[in-house]
Amino acid sequence: MAKVGSGRVGLSCRGRGQRRPTTWDISDSDTEGPVGAEADSEAAVRARDPTEERRAAAEALRLLRPKQALRRLAVRVDPAILEDAGADILMEALGSLGCKYHIEPQRPARSIRWSRVKPEPCPCSICGPACSVPWISPESSTCLHLAVIGLDAYLWSHQPNAQEMQQPESPGVARAEVAVGWPEVEEALVLLQLWANLDVLLVASWQELSQHVCAFTKALAQRPFKQFQESRTFSFCTAGRWVAGERMTRDGTGLRGAWWRQIRQFNRVSPAVADAVVTAFPSPRLLQQVYLACGTDQERLALLADLSVKVDEGARPRRVGPDLSRRICLFLTSTNPDLLLDLSS
């Protein structure tokens, strides 16, 4: 497989008979001043409209989605690859993937390249100063990847069996055969990586190669959206809302619901158990204050264990239990980021 890069898209132009574009004379008279100022004012209002900004942001984010980016990818396959009978598996896999593919000569021969078709720029407020979907460019220092199909099976088929090894061979035959095994192959792979900057992909069949090509194509399609998420300071938060959709205000409205949802994120916690914890301690700050007032660690770990859980009529009474009490206590008091809260996971 050849260097990964973006292809050149040709632009078609019409002949000399193309009409000259219409031009206008712009006057700087005083009568046109208010009209221009009013138009600029309306444009500024539209630019500051939160609804329009959210709509533009949503549209730009939609273009970055992997499914949309996959439609703008093109896989370019050299015609020499189609000479192999197993190449039909690769073409069928590309056809079912959803991206475009083209059969055209590549350099080097028998190679595959990835390029973009119809790049769609995104607003600066969405993707940062680049203002475009980030793709691999032909100027990028990307090493080549060489795919070898069926090397393992070839080496196994050329190994002498036990009967052949016991029979003495004539000197002429021994000099004619060259034994190549995995030690020689591994040495060649190291030389290719260090000296030629060439990575070698060993696959057993065309099916495995097709899976690798499809996986690489999907990874390219996911790259713009991942880079956008990594560029955000807190990509897991949305403006003014929690991840689960609980609205928060400055006066504390919505805190109880957010605290309830946070308790529910623990494993094996039912809504009734979360209700019991939130009813006893309506906010995590109140629970932390009680933890600070406890005299021993054992008292802190068992603080919530005896809280009663509301059950249906006729059912056995339930408690929060020591396991969840310990996990919530460690979650709010521990300073170890690598601490495992759930011992059963």
Side-chain angles (χ1 to χ4, degrees):
M1 289 185 288
K3 182 185 297 184
V4 178
S6 60
R8 298 181 179 177
V9 180
L11 299 178
S12 61
C13 300
R14 297 191 177 184
R16 299 180 180 178
Q18 186 176 4
R19 297 180 57 186
R20 181 175 179 270
T22 308
T23 58
W24 291 269
D25 293 333
I26 302 178
S27 174
D28 56 354
S29 59
D30 296 338
T31 58
E32 296 183 357
V35 177
E38 183 178 357
D40 294 341
S41 178
E42 292 179 357
V45 170
R46 287 195 302 268
R48 291 192 302 266
D49 188 3
T51 305
E52 293 294 334
E53 291 181 358
R54 287 195 296 269
R55 185 180 294 108
E59 177 62 19
L61 186 59
R62 185 187 67 84
L63 296 177
L64 293 181
R65 296 288 182 181
K67 289 184 178 180
Q68 296 294 329
L70 187 62
R71 298 175 181 175
R72 301 194 299 274
L73 267 180
V75 183
R76 306 186 182 276
V77 183
D78 189 84
I81 296 180
L82 304 181
E83 297 176 0
D84 195 294
D88 294 340
I89 301 177
L90 175 62
M91 304 312 298
E92 291 178 2
L94 292 177
S96 60
L97 188 60
C99 65
K100 296 183 179 180
Y101 63 91
H102 304 280
I103 309 299
E104 55 188 22
Q106 304 295 324
R107 296 183 60 184
R110 302 184 65 87
S111 62
I112 301 175
R113 288 194 307 119
W114 285 262
S115 64
R116 57 184 177 182
V117 288
K118 298 180 180 180
E120 301 178 13
C122 299
C124 296
S125 59
I126 303 303
C127 299
C131 300
S132 62
V133 177
W135 299 99
I136 296 180
S137 61
E139 292 79 12
S140 61
S141 57
T142 307
C143 64
L144 300 178
H145 297 264
L146 176 65
V148 181
I149 303 176
L151 179 61
D152 193 6
Y154 174 81
L155 294 179
W156 278 106
S157 64
H158 284 71
Q159 284 186 351
N161 53 33
Q163 183 178 1
E164 293 176 351
M165 294 179 64
Q166 294 176 358
Q167 295 177 356
E169 298 178 351
S170 61
V173 176
R175 286 194 300 268
E177 294 182 356
V178 178
V180 178
W182 273 112
E184 291 78 11
V185 171
E186 293 176 354
E187 182 179 357
L189 295 179
V190 172
L191 293 177
L192 288 174
Q193 292 178 354
L194 296 181
W195 288 1
N197 193 25
L198 181 66
D199 289 336
V200 181
L201 174 67
L202 302 180
V203 293
S205 61
W206 275 95
Q207 181 70 29
E208 186 176 346
L209 178 62
S210 302
Q211 293 175 357
H212 177 79
V213 171
C214 293
F216 188 83
T217 307
K218 292 179 180 179
L220 282 181
Q222 294 171 359
R223 186 179 180 218
F225 187 73
K226 288 184 177 180
Q227 288 190 349
F228 164 70
Q229 287 184 321
E230 293 173 357
S231 64
R232 303 176 63 185
T233 306
F234 297 103
S235 58
F236 52 86
C237 292
T238 55
R241 291 178 178 268
W242 290 78
V243 176
E246 190 71 29
R247 180 179 293 275
M248 296 289 297
T249 59
R250 294 182 179 273
D251 59 356
T253 303
L255 176 60
R256 184 185 180 93
W259 173 230
W260 184 87
R261 292 177 183 272
Q262 191 171 28
I263 297 297
R264 285 276 289 140
Q265 289 180 0
F266 287 91
N267 292 335
R268 303 179 303 279
V269 175
S270 63
V273 174
D275 289 337
V277 176
V278 173
T279 301
F281 301 95
S283 71
R285 181 60 179 170
L286 295 177
L287 184 55
Q288 284 181 328
Q289 292 175 354
V290 178
Y291 281 142
L292 293 176
C294 294
T296 62
D297 292 340
Q298 201 69 21
E299 185 180 356
R300 294 188 187 94
L301 294 175
L303 178 64
L304 305 177
D306 293 331
L307 290 180
S308 60
V309 178
K310 185 178 180 181
V311 296
D312 297 335
E313 185 178 356
R316 296 175 55 185
R318 294 179 54 195
R319 299 181 303 125
V320 170
D323 179 61
L324 180 59
S325 178
R326 179 191 63 83
R327 285 186 284 161
I328 295 178
C329 176
L330 295 177
F331 174 71
L332 294 178
T333 60
S334 177
T335 58
N336 182 12
D338 299 324
L339 180 64
L340 182 63
L341 298 180
D342 195 349
L343 299 179
S344 62
S345 60

